[in-house]
PDB file of all heavy atoms in Angstrom:
ATOM      1  N   PRO A 117      -9.429 -17.968  20.078  1.00  0.00           N
ATOM      2  CA  PRO A 117      -9.300 -19.149  19.208  1.00  0.00           C
ATOM      3  C   PRO A 117      -8.950 -18.786  17.763  1.00  0.00           C
ATOM      4  O   PRO A 117      -8.078 -19.413  17.162  1.00  0.00           O
ATOM      5  CB  PRO A 117     -10.677 -19.813  19.304  1.00  0.00           C
ATOM      6  CG  PRO A 117     -11.184 -19.406  20.645  1.00  0.00           C
ATOM      7  CD  PRO A 117     -10.674 -18.002  20.852  1.00  0.00           C
ATOM      8  N   ASP A 118      -9.611 -17.772  17.206  1.00  0.00           N
ATOM      9  CA  ASP A 118      -9.320 -17.383  15.820  1.00  0.00           C
ATOM     10  C   ASP A 118      -7.880 -16.900  15.664  1.00  0.00           C
ATOM     11  O   ASP A 118      -7.213 -17.219  14.677  1.00  0.00           O
ATOM     12  CB  ASP A 118     -10.282 -16.289  15.346  1.00  0.00           C
ATOM     13  CG  ASP A 118     -11.681 -16.819  15.087  1.00  0.00           C
ATOM     14  OD1 ASP A 118     -11.833 -18.049  14.935  1.00  0.00           O
ATOM     15  OD2 ASP A 118     -12.616 -15.997  15.040  1.00  0.00           O
ATOM     16  N   SER A 119      -7.398 -16.138  16.632  1.00  0.00           N
ATOM     17  CA  SER A 119      -6.018 -15.645  16.574  1.00  0.00           C
ATOM     18  C   SER A 119      -5.024 -16.794  16.673  1.00  0.00           C
ATOM     19  O   SER A 119      -4.005 -16.802  15.985  1.00  0.00           O
ATOM     20  CB  SER A 119      -5.758 -14.649  17.694  1.00  0.00           C
ATOM     21  OG  SER A 119      -6.515 -13.489  17.491  1.00  0.00           O
ATOM     22  N   LEU A 120      -5.317 -17.753  17.535  1.00  0.00           N
ATOM     23  CA  LEU A 120      -4.420 -18.899  17.669  1.00  0.00           C
ATOM     24  C   LEU A 120      -4.421 -19.759  16.407  1.00  0.00           C
ATOM     25  O   LEU A 120      -3.369 -20.249  15.986  1.00  0.00           O
ATOM     26  CB  LEU A 120      -4.799 -19.729  18.888  1.00  0.00           C
ATOM     27  CG  LEU A 120      -4.503 -19.053  20.236  1.00  0.00           C
ATOM     28  CD1 LEU A 120      -5.051 -19.886  21.387  1.00  0.00           C
ATOM     29  CD2 LEU A 120      -3.019 -18.798  20.411  1.00  0.00           C
ATOM     30  N   ILE A 121      -5.587 -19.928  15.786  1.00  0.00           N
ATOM     31  CA  ILE A 121      -5.646 -20.670  14.519  1.00  0.00           C
ATOM     32  C   ILE A 121      -4.791 -19.961  13.473  1.00  0.00           C
ATOM     33  O   ILE A 121      -4.003 -20.592  12.762  1.00  0.00           O
ATOM     34  CB  ILE A 121      -7.114 -20.812  14.039  1.00  0.00           C
ATOM     35  CG1 ILE A 121      -7.858 -21.798  14.942  1.00  0.00           C
ATOM     36  CG2 ILE A 121      -7.162 -21.254  12.572  1.00  0.00           C
ATOM     37  CD1 ILE A 121      -9.356 -21.809  14.715  1.00  0.00           C
ATOM     38  N   TYR A 122      -4.935 -18.639  13.372  1.00  0.00           N
ATOM     39  CA  TYR A 122      -4.143 -17.864  12.415  1.00  0.00           C
ATOM     40  C   TYR A 122      -2.652 -18.012  12.714  1.00  0.00           C
ATOM     41  O   TYR A 122      -1.847 -18.255  11.819  1.00  0.00           O
ATOM     42  CB  TYR A 122      -4.566 -16.390  12.451  1.00  0.00           C
ATOM     43  CG  TYR A 122      -3.718 -15.506  11.586  1.00  0.00           C
ATOM     44  CD1 TYR A 122      -3.838 -15.549  10.202  1.00  0.00           C
ATOM     45  CD2 TYR A 122      -2.780 -14.650  12.140  1.00  0.00           C
ATOM     46  CE1 TYR A 122      -3.058 -14.753   9.386  1.00  0.00           C
ATOM     47  CE2 TYR A 122      -1.993 -13.850  11.337  1.00  0.00           C
ATOM     48  CZ  TYR A 122      -2.133 -13.904   9.961  1.00  0.00           C
ATOM     49  OH  TYR A 122      -1.351 -13.126   9.163  1.00  0.00           O
ATOM     50  N   LYS A 123      -2.281 -17.890  13.980  1.00  0.00           N
ATOM     51  CA  LYS A 123      -0.872 -17.973  14.386  1.00  0.00           C
ATOM     52  C   LYS A 123      -0.287 -19.339  14.029  1.00  0.00           C
ATOM     53  O   LYS A 123       0.783 -19.426  13.420  1.00  0.00           O
ATOM     54  CB  LYS A 123      -0.755 -17.718  15.885  1.00  0.00           C
ATOM     55  CG  LYS A 123       0.638 -17.896  16.437  1.00  0.00           C
ATOM     56  CD  LYS A 123       0.662 -17.685  17.943  1.00  0.00           C
ATOM     57  CE  LYS A 123       2.031 -17.932  18.518  1.00  0.00           C
ATOM     58  NZ  LYS A 123       2.059 -17.681  19.966  1.00  0.00           N
ATOM     59  N   TYR A 124      -0.986 -20.408  14.383  1.00  0.00           N
ATOM     60  CA  TYR A 124      -0.452 -21.737  14.127  1.00  0.00           C
ATOM     61  C   TYR A 124      -0.446 -22.072  12.635  1.00  0.00           C
ATOM     62  O   TYR A 124       0.478 -22.716  12.150  1.00  0.00           O
ATOM     63  CB  TYR A 124      -1.200 -22.798  14.945  1.00  0.00           C
ATOM     64  CG  TYR A 124      -0.736 -22.794  16.378  1.00  0.00           C
ATOM     65  CD1 TYR A 124      -1.471 -22.154  17.356  1.00  0.00           C
ATOM     66  CD2 TYR A 124       0.474 -23.382  16.736  1.00  0.00           C
ATOM     67  CE1 TYR A 124      -1.027 -22.111  18.676  1.00  0.00           C
ATOM     68  CE2 TYR A 124       0.927 -23.355  18.038  1.00  0.00           C
ATOM     69  CZ  TYR A 124       0.168 -22.723  19.013  1.00  0.00           C
ATOM     70  OH  TYR A 124       0.617 -22.677  20.302  1.00  0.00           O
ATOM     71  N   SER A 125      -1.439 -21.641  11.898  1.00  0.00           N
ATOM     72  CA  SER A 125      -1.425 -21.903  10.457  1.00  0.00           C
ATOM     73  C   SER A 125      -0.309 -21.108   9.788  1.00  0.00           C
ATOM     74  O   SER A 125       0.348 -21.607   8.868  1.00  0.00           O
ATOM     75  CB  SER A 125      -2.776 -21.602   9.821  1.00  0.00           C
ATOM     76  OG  SER A 125      -3.097 -20.244   9.940  1.00  0.00           O
ATOM     77  N   ARG A 126      -0.071 -19.891  10.246  1.00  0.00           N
ATOM     78  CA  ARG A 126       1.032 -19.080   9.701  1.00  0.00           C
ATOM     79  C   ARG A 126       2.365 -19.747  10.002  1.00  0.00           C
ATOM     80  O   ARG A 126       3.228 -19.851   9.131  1.00  0.00           O
ATOM     81  CB  ARG A 126       0.970 -17.668  10.291  1.00  0.00           C
ATOM     82  CG  ARG A 126       1.944 -16.710   9.641  1.00  0.00           C
ATOM     83  CD  ARG A 126       1.892 -15.328  10.250  1.00  0.00           C
ATOM     84  NE  ARG A 126       2.348 -15.390  11.622  1.00  0.00           N
ATOM     85  CZ  ARG A 126       1.684 -14.877  12.663  1.00  0.00           C
ATOM     86  NH1 ARG A 126       0.535 -14.285  12.485  1.00  0.00           N
ATOM     87  NH2 ARG A 126       2.161 -14.981  13.871  1.00  0.00           N
ATOM     88  N   ASN A 127       2.535 -20.226  11.222  1.00  0.00           N
ATOM     89  CA  ASN A 127       3.788 -20.889  11.592  1.00  0.00           C
ATOM     90  C   ASN A 127       3.957 -22.207  10.843  1.00  0.00           C
ATOM     91  O   ASN A 127       5.083 -22.621  10.565  1.00  0.00           O
ATOM     92  CB  ASN A 127       3.858 -21.106  13.097  1.00  0.00           C
ATOM     93  CG  ASN A 127       4.079 -19.804  13.844  1.00  0.00           C
ATOM     94  OD1 ASN A 127       4.557 -18.826  13.271  1.00  0.00           O
ATOM     95  ND2 ASN A 127       3.711 -19.773  15.104  1.00  0.00           N
ATOM     96  N   PHE A 128       2.859 -22.875  10.539  1.00  0.00           N
ATOM     97  CA  PHE A 128       2.918 -24.113   9.776  1.00  0.00           C
ATOM     98  C   PHE A 128       3.325 -23.837   8.332  1.00  0.00           C
ATOM     99  O   PHE A 128       4.094 -24.583   7.740  1.00  0.00           O
ATOM    100  CB  PHE A 128       1.562 -24.817   9.831  1.00  0.00           C
ATOM    101  CG  PHE A 128       1.522 -26.106   9.064  1.00  0.00           C
ATOM    102  CD1 PHE A 128       2.126 -27.253   9.567  1.00  0.00           C
ATOM    103  CD2 PHE A 128       0.876 -26.170   7.835  1.00  0.00           C
ATOM    104  CE1 PHE A 128       2.089 -28.438   8.864  1.00  0.00           C
ATOM    105  CE2 PHE A 128       0.832 -27.355   7.125  1.00  0.00           C
ATOM    106  CZ  PHE A 128       1.441 -28.495   7.630  1.00  0.00           C
ATOM    107  N   ASN A 129       2.815 -22.764   7.756  1.00  0.00           N
ATOM    108  CA  ASN A 129       3.067 -22.445   6.353  1.00  0.00           C
ATOM    109  C   ASN A 129       4.398 -21.744   6.095  1.00  0.00           C
ATOM    110  O   ASN A 129       4.922 -21.809   4.990  1.00  0.00           O
ATOM    111  CB  ASN A 129       1.936 -21.580   5.795  1.00  0.00           C
ATOM    112  CG  ASN A 129       0.655 -22.352   5.647  1.00  0.00           C
ATOM    113  OD1 ASN A 129       0.661 -23.489   5.199  1.00  0.00           O
ATOM    114  ND2 ASN A 129      -0.454 -21.755   6.032  1.00  0.00           N
ATOM    115  N   PHE A 130       4.927 -21.066   7.104  1.00  0.00           N
ATOM    116  CA  PHE A 130       6.161 -20.299   6.912  1.00  0.00           C
ATOM    117  C   PHE A 130       7.179 -20.684   7.971  1.00  0.00           C
ATOM    118  O   PHE A 130       6.839 -20.849   9.139  1.00  0.00           O
ATOM    119  CB  PHE A 130       5.883 -18.786   7.000  1.00  0.00           C
ATOM    120  CG  PHE A 130       4.876 -18.313   6.004  1.00  0.00           C
ATOM    121  CD1 PHE A 130       3.578 -18.004   6.393  1.00  0.00           C
ATOM    122  CD2 PHE A 130       5.211 -18.180   4.666  1.00  0.00           C
ATOM    123  CE1 PHE A 130       2.636 -17.577   5.470  1.00  0.00           C
ATOM    124  CE2 PHE A 130       4.280 -17.743   3.737  1.00  0.00           C
ATOM    125  CZ  PHE A 130       2.994 -17.444   4.148  1.00  0.00           C
ATOM    126  N   SER A 131       8.434 -20.781   7.572  1.00  0.00           N
ATOM    127  CA  SER A 131       9.492 -21.101   8.525  1.00  0.00           C
ATOM    128  C   SER A 131       9.713 -19.933   9.477  1.00  0.00           C
ATOM    129  O   SER A 131       9.260 -18.812   9.220  1.00  0.00           O
ATOM    130  CB  SER A 131      10.795 -21.405   7.775  1.00  0.00           C
ATOM    131  OG  SER A 131      11.336 -20.207   7.240  1.00  0.00           O
ATOM    132  N   LYS A 132      10.416 -20.182  10.556  1.00  0.00           N
ATOM    133  CA  LYS A 132      10.690 -19.120  11.531  1.00  0.00           C
ATOM    134  C   LYS A 132      11.537 -18.000  10.936  1.00  0.00           C
ATOM    135  O   LYS A 132      11.536 -16.895  11.442  1.00  0.00           O
ATOM    136  CB  LYS A 132      11.388 -19.698  12.761  1.00  0.00           C
ATOM    137  CG  LYS A 132      10.480 -20.509  13.625  1.00  0.00           C
ATOM    138  CD  LYS A 132      11.152 -20.944  14.899  1.00  0.00           C
ATOM    139  CE  LYS A 132      10.158 -21.734  15.723  1.00  0.00           C
ATOM    140  NZ  LYS A 132      10.646 -22.009  17.061  1.00  0.00           N
ATOM    141  N   ASN A 133      12.248 -18.291   9.861  1.00  0.00           N
ATOM    142  CA  ASN A 133      13.082 -17.275   9.222  1.00  0.00           C
ATOM    143  C   ASN A 133      12.330 -16.446   8.193  1.00  0.00           C
ATOM    144  O   ASN A 133      12.872 -15.499   7.644  1.00  0.00           O
ATOM    145  CB  ASN A 133      14.296 -17.932   8.556  1.00  0.00           C
ATOM    146  CG  ASN A 133      15.218 -18.549   9.575  1.00  0.00           C
ATOM    147  OD1 ASN A 133      15.338 -18.052  10.697  1.00  0.00           O
ATOM    148  ND2 ASN A 133      15.855 -19.647   9.215  1.00  0.00           N
ATOM    149  N   HIS A 134      11.096 -16.803   7.911  1.00  0.00           N
ATOM    150  CA  HIS A 134      10.315 -16.073   6.912  1.00  0.00           C
ATOM    151  C   HIS A 134       9.692 -14.831   7.563  1.00  0.00           C
ATOM    152  O   HIS A 134       9.245 -14.876   8.698  1.00  0.00           O
ATOM    153  CB  HIS A 134       9.209 -16.978   6.348  1.00  0.00           C
ATOM    154  CG  HIS A 134       8.598 -16.430   5.104  1.00  0.00           C
ATOM    155  ND1 HIS A 134       7.638 -15.435   5.123  1.00  0.00           N
ATOM    156  CD2 HIS A 134       8.821 -16.713   3.799  1.00  0.00           C
ATOM    157  CE1 HIS A 134       7.293 -15.138   3.885  1.00  0.00           C
ATOM    158  NE2 HIS A 134       7.981 -15.897   3.057  1.00  0.00           N
ATOM    159  N   PRO A 135       9.647 -13.721   6.832  1.00  0.00           N
ATOM    160  CA  PRO A 135       9.058 -12.490   7.388  1.00  0.00           C
ATOM    161  C   PRO A 135       7.629 -12.658   7.890  1.00  0.00           C
ATOM    162  O   PRO A 135       7.231 -12.010   8.854  1.00  0.00           O
ATOM    163  CB  PRO A 135       9.108 -11.511   6.216  1.00  0.00           C
ATOM    164  CG  PRO A 135      10.212 -11.997   5.354  1.00  0.00           C
ATOM    165  CD  PRO A 135      10.217 -13.495   5.498  1.00  0.00           C
ATOM    166  N   TYR A 136       6.841 -13.517   7.266  1.00  0.00           N
ATOM    167  CA  TYR A 136       5.449 -13.678   7.684  1.00  0.00           C
ATOM    168  C   TYR A 136       5.314 -14.412   9.017  1.00  0.00           C
ATOM    169  O   TYR A 136       4.223 -14.478   9.572  1.00  0.00           O
ATOM    170  CB  TYR A 136       4.643 -14.411   6.623  1.00  0.00           C
ATOM    171  CG  TYR A 136       4.444 -13.624   5.338  1.00  0.00           C
ATOM    172  CD1 TYR A 136       4.090 -14.272   4.169  1.00  0.00           C
ATOM    173  CD2 TYR A 136       4.613 -12.246   5.298  1.00  0.00           C
ATOM    174  CE1 TYR A 136       3.899 -13.564   2.987  1.00  0.00           C
ATOM    175  CE2 TYR A 136       4.434 -11.542   4.123  1.00  0.00           C
ATOM    176  CZ  TYR A 136       4.076 -12.200   2.968  1.00  0.00           C
ATOM    177  OH  TYR A 136       3.891 -11.505   1.813  1.00  0.00           O
ATOM    178  N   SER A 137       6.420 -14.959   9.524  1.00  0.00           N
ATOM    179  CA  SER A 137       6.346 -15.637  10.820  1.00  0.00           C
ATOM    180  C   SER A 137       6.540 -14.663  11.987  1.00  0.00           C
ATOM    181  O   SER A 137       6.333 -15.027  13.135  1.00  0.00           O
ATOM    182  CB  SER A 137       7.397 -16.751  10.899  1.00  0.00           C
ATOM    183  OG  SER A 137       8.699 -16.192  10.931  1.00  0.00           O
ATOM    184  N   GLU A 138       6.924 -13.439  11.690  1.00  0.00           N
ATOM    185  CA  GLU A 138       7.155 -12.447  12.748  1.00  0.00           C
ATOM    186  C   GLU A 138       5.837 -11.995  13.377  1.00  0.00           C
ATOM    187  O   GLU A 138       4.835 -11.827  12.682  1.00  0.00           O
ATOM    188  CB  GLU A 138       7.876 -11.214  12.188  1.00  0.00           C
ATOM    189  CG  GLU A 138       9.286 -11.480  11.727  1.00  0.00           C
ATOM    190  CD  GLU A 138       9.971 -10.213  11.247  1.00  0.00           C
ATOM    191  OE1 GLU A 138       9.356  -9.462  10.458  1.00  0.00           O
ATOM    192  OE2 GLU A 138      11.101  -9.974  11.660  1.00  0.00           O
ATOM    193  N   GLU A 139       5.845 -11.804  14.683  1.00  0.00           N
ATOM    194  CA  GLU A 139       4.673 -11.297  15.399  1.00  0.00           C
ATOM    195  C   GLU A 139       5.055 -10.010  16.112  1.00  0.00           C
ATOM    196  O   GLU A 139       6.093  -9.935  16.757  1.00  0.00           O
ATOM    197  CB  GLU A 139       4.203 -12.323  16.422  1.00  0.00           C
ATOM    198  CG  GLU A 139       3.668 -13.590  15.800  1.00  0.00           C
ATOM    199  CD  GLU A 139       3.144 -14.547  16.843  1.00  0.00           C
ATOM    200  OE1 GLU A 139       2.438 -14.084  17.765  1.00  0.00           O
ATOM    201  OE2 GLU A 139       3.446 -15.736  16.722  1.00  0.00           O
ATOM    202  N   TYR A 140       4.191  -9.023  15.987  1.00  0.00           N
ATOM    203  CA  TYR A 140       4.486  -7.762  16.651  1.00  0.00           C
ATOM    204  C   TYR A 140       4.160  -7.856  18.136  1.00  0.00           C
ATOM    205  O   TYR A 140       3.346  -8.668  18.566  1.00  0.00           O
ATOM    206  CB  TYR A 140       3.771  -6.590  15.970  1.00  0.00           C
ATOM    207  CG  TYR A 140       2.266  -6.579  16.075  1.00  0.00           C
ATOM    208  CD1 TYR A 140       1.641  -6.008  17.172  1.00  0.00           C
ATOM    209  CD2 TYR A 140       1.475  -7.113  15.067  1.00  0.00           C
ATOM    210  CE1 TYR A 140       0.256  -5.969  17.269  1.00  0.00           C
ATOM    211  CE2 TYR A 140       0.094  -7.083  15.152  1.00  0.00           C
ATOM    212  CZ  TYR A 140      -0.508  -6.511  16.256  1.00  0.00           C
ATOM    213  OH  TYR A 140      -1.869  -6.476  16.354  1.00  0.00           O
ATOM    214  N   THR A 141       4.846  -7.014  18.890  1.00  0.00           N
ATOM    215  CA  THR A 141       4.634  -6.920  20.333  1.00  0.00           C
ATOM    216  C   THR A 141       4.488  -5.445  20.680  1.00  0.00           C
ATOM    217  O   THR A 141       4.701  -4.572  19.835  1.00  0.00           O
ATOM    218  CB  THR A 141       5.838  -7.495  21.116  1.00  0.00           C
ATOM    219  OG1 THR A 141       6.988  -6.662  20.845  1.00  0.00           O
ATOM    220  CG2 THR A 141       6.132  -8.943  20.729  1.00  0.00           C
ATOM    221  N   LYS A 142       4.169  -5.184  21.927  1.00  0.00           N
ATOM    222  CA  LYS A 142       4.071  -3.793  22.374  1.00  0.00           C
ATOM    223  C   LYS A 142       5.405  -3.078  22.150  1.00  0.00           C
ATOM    224  O   LYS A 142       5.443  -1.935  21.703  1.00  0.00           O
ATOM    225  CB  LYS A 142       3.672  -3.748  23.851  1.00  0.00           C
ATOM    226  CG  LYS A 142       3.462  -2.359  24.377  1.00  0.00           C
ATOM    227  CD  LYS A 142       2.979  -2.368  25.814  1.00  0.00           C
ATOM    228  CE  LYS A 142       2.743  -0.947  26.308  1.00  0.00           C
ATOM    229  NZ  LYS A 142       2.222  -0.917  27.679  1.00  0.00           N
ATOM    230  N   THR A 143       6.509  -3.773  22.410  1.00  0.00           N
ATOM    231  CA  THR A 143       7.838  -3.178  22.242  1.00  0.00           C
ATOM    232  C   THR A 143       8.117  -2.846  20.780  1.00  0.00           C
ATOM    233  O   THR A 143       8.575  -1.742  20.470  1.00  0.00           O
ATOM    234  CB  THR A 143       8.930  -4.127  22.781  1.00  0.00           C
ATOM    235  OG1 THR A 143       8.657  -4.387  24.157  1.00  0.00           O
ATOM    236  CG2 THR A 143      10.311  -3.538  22.623  1.00  0.00           C
ATOM    237  N   THR A 144       7.830  -3.797  19.868  1.00  0.00           N
ATOM    238  CA  THR A 144       8.131  -3.532  18.458  1.00  0.00           C
ATOM    239  C   THR A 144       7.246  -2.417  17.908  1.00  0.00           C
ATOM    240  O   THR A 144       7.701  -1.607  17.091  1.00  0.00           O
ATOM    241  CB  THR A 144       7.998  -4.791  17.575  1.00  0.00           C
ATOM    242  OG1 THR A 144       6.641  -5.242  17.552  1.00  0.00           O
ATOM    243  CG2 THR A 144       8.923  -5.904  18.048  1.00  0.00           C
TER     244      THR A 144
END
Side-chain angles (χ1 to χ4, degrees):
D118 287 342
S119 293
L120 290 174
I121 289 169
Y122 175 73
K123 175 182 177 178
Y124 282 100
S125 63
R126 188 181 66 231
N127 288 339
F128 180 75
N129 290 317
F130 302 105
S131 72
K132 287 186 179 189
N133 294 328
H134 194 280
Y136 292 161
S137 68
E138 293 183 312
E139 294 183 44
Y140 67 86
T141 65
K142 184 176 181 178
T143 302
T144 65

